[in-house]
Amino acid sequence: MKPEEGPIEESKKLRVSRGISILDLVLRIIAIFGTLGSAVAMGTTDETLPFSTQALIFQAQYDDIPTFRFFVIANAIVCGYLAISLPMAIYHVIRTRAAKSRALLIFLDTIMLAVLTAGASAAAAVVYLAHKGNASANWLAICQQYQNFCQRITGSLIGSFGAVLILILLIPLSGLILSRQR
Amino acid sequence: MKPEEGPIEESKKLRVSRGISILDLVLRIIAIFGTLGSAVAMGTTDETLPFSTQALIFQAQYDDIPTFRFFVIANAIVCGYLAISLPMAIYHVIRTRAAKSRALLIFLDTIMLAVLTAGASAAAAVVYLAHKGNASANWLAICQQYQNFCQRITGSLIGSFGAVLILILLIPLSGLILSRQR
């Protein structure tokens, strides 16, 4: 049996938990912008080469490659989820001792981490192939022709991987608060 | 202020927590075999086509494609981590009320979930290209030539994605136990 804690120690514990809850809220808002930026940057990417004619068009679009379509969808889903989770995050700042809703948030955050990591890594694997190609499989590096296209798709990965890092932080932070509440 | 709980309710709570801890342990052991199987299946894949001659060898190996090398490394890391985490999982079955070590496990599990999902999804994106190719990028489907190779690399994804699903379960389960301990 643990000895009963004094009211001073208890209120200090609550203050730290509140601080972590505010950090959680701020990180969520940053991650919303990261995933939104990635989805928009990838979703608006296309390039038409200057020597295209009316009969023969040399054009690269993000949705030529199904993996990039999955990337946009994954980022949109996670962005939407994070926006919906904001009220819950605000509730946790106010009611620092809430436990069940935090456990629910760990569950949902974990699923979203998996979805976003899957989308970002799959896209990164294809972007890598676009840059380097693969001699054994006879896949040529398409970035030599479509330079702007490649810059855009590479850049759009940044926001997504940033949001992955934030989600990796958010989940243990919720766990930390729960473990301190004992 | 919550009223003090009776000893009967308290012991029932502990029994449920112990049940979840045992489930956690069993799932970890299954995930070890999943990641181990994936790493070995991918790491031993190569195929030499029957019409190869001494001068000209038609061969496909998993490490021709860097993404597959990353897949093997990611699976090996997560497999090793899961093996190391077993004593901690056993400790949680015995000391059901442990909180700090559970929060640590949530942190480490989350990182491993991200590593494994990244490896599995990146490999899946390349396997998809190997099967379907991509007309816009002029990447041919290599599976038409290397059928055995493709079957092996596709099959090796199963254990990995199984382990991803298990990790998605393990993290909220730890959170659930922590939230019930209040």
Side-chain angles (χ1 to χ4, degrees):
Chain A
M1 283 286 139
K2 249 166 63 171
E4 204 63 34
E5 276 162 351
I8 297 168
E9 203 173 325
E10 185 74 16
S11 89
K12 193 188 147 208
K13 245 186 174 180
L14 276 181
R15 266 212 309 282
V16 175
S17 289
R18 179 153 297 156
I20 300 176
S21 298
I22 292 171
L23 179 66
D24 179 293
L25 181 63
V26 173
L27 286 176
R28 261 170 222 280
I29 293 170
I30 298 172
I32 288 175
F33 285 106
T35 48
L36 185 67
S38 279
V40 171
M42 179 67 87
T44 55
T45 298
D46 69 314
E47 184 184 7
T48 309
L49 294 189
F51 51 84
S52 298
T53 62
Q54 273 196 313
L56 203 62
I57 297 170
F58 292 90
Q59 194 184 29
Q61 263 188 322
Y62 86 97
D63 62 357
D64 291 339
I65 296 172
T67 312
F68 291 161
R69 225 177 298 155
F70 173 54
F71 175 82
V72 173
I73 294 168
N75 273 284
I77 289 173
V78 174
C79 182
Y81 160 76
L82 285 171
I84 292 171
S85 77
L86 281 186
M88 222 155 160
I90 294 169
Y91 172 74
H92 287 156
V93 173
I94 300 166
R95 303 217 34 170
T96 320
R97 292 181 68 84
K100 291 224 167 57
S101 57
R102 258 185 233 281
L104 177 66
L105 216 54
I106 289 182
F107 176 60
L108 297 174
D109 283 353
T110 306
I111 293 174
M112 291 299 146
L113 171 63
V115 169
L116 190 61
T117 312
S121 314
V126 175
V127 167
Y128 179 84
L129 278 177
H131 276 284
K132 300 258 178 174
N134 187 285
S136 320
N138 228 349
W139 293 336
L140 292 176
I142 54 168
C143 282
Q144 284 158 359
Q145 287 102 55
Y146 296 97
Q147 285 182 354
N148 283 331
F149 177 74
C150 270
Q151 272 176 12
R152 277 290 283 278
I153 58 174
T154 312
S156 71
L157 296 178
I158 298 170
S160 205
F161 275 108
V164 165
L165 288 180
I166 288 177
L167 278 171
I168 291 178
L169 267 177
L170 287 182
I171 297 167
L173 281 182
S174 297
L176 184 66
I177 294 181
L178 281 177
S179 76
R180 287 168 53 88
Q181 281 178 344
R182 290 203 40 196
Chain B
M1 282 286 136
K2 251 168 55 172
E4 203 63 38
E5 275 160 353
I8 297 168
E9 206 174 327
E10 184 74 17
S11 88
K12 193 190 147 207
K13 243 187 175 179
L14 276 179
R15 265 211 311 281
V16 175
S17 290
R18 178 154 298 155
I20 299 176
S21 299
I22 292 171
L23 179 66
D24 179 293
L25 181 63
V26 173
L27 287 176
R28 260 170 223 280
I29 294 171
I30 298 173
I32 289 177
F33 285 107
T35 48
L36 186 67
S38 280
V40 171
M42 179 68 87
T44 55
T45 298
D46 69 315
E47 183 183 9
T48 309
L49 294 189
F51 50 83
S52 299
T53 61
Q54 273 196 314
L56 203 62
I57 296 171
F58 292 90
Q59 196 184 28
Q61 264 187 323
Y62 86 97
D63 62 356
D64 290 337
I65 295 172
T67 312
F68 291 161
R69 226 178 296 155
F70 172 55
F71 176 82
V72 173
I73 295 169
N75 274 285
I77 290 173
V78 174
C79 182
Y81 159 77
L82 285 170
I84 292 171
S85 76
L86 280 186
M88 223 156 160
I90 293 169
Y91 172 77
H92 285 157
V93 173
I94 300 165
R95 304 217 33 171
T96 320
R97 291 184 67 85
K100 290 223 168 57
S101 57
R102 259 185 232 280
L104 177 66
L105 215 54
I106 288 182
F107 176 59
L108 296 174
D109 283 352
T110 307
I111 294 173
M112 291 300 145
L113 171 63
V115 169
L116 190 61
T117 312
S121 315
V126 176
V127 167
Y128 179 84
L129 278 178
H131 277 283
K132 301 259 178 173
N134 187 285
S136 322
N138 227 350
W139 293 335
L140 292 175
I142 55 168
C143 282
Q144 285 158 359
Q145 288 101 57
Y146 297 99
Q147 286 183 354
N148 283 331
F149 176 75
C150 270
Q151 271 176 13
R152 276 291 282 280
I153 59 174
T154 311
S156 71
L157 295 178
I158 298 170
S160 205
F161 275 108
V164 165
L165 287 181
I166 288 177
L167 278 170
I168 291 179
L169 265 178
L170 287 182
I171 297 167
L173 280 182
S174 298
L176 184 67
I177 293 180
L178 282 177
S179 75
R180 289 168 52 88
Q181 280 178 346
R182 290 203 40 199

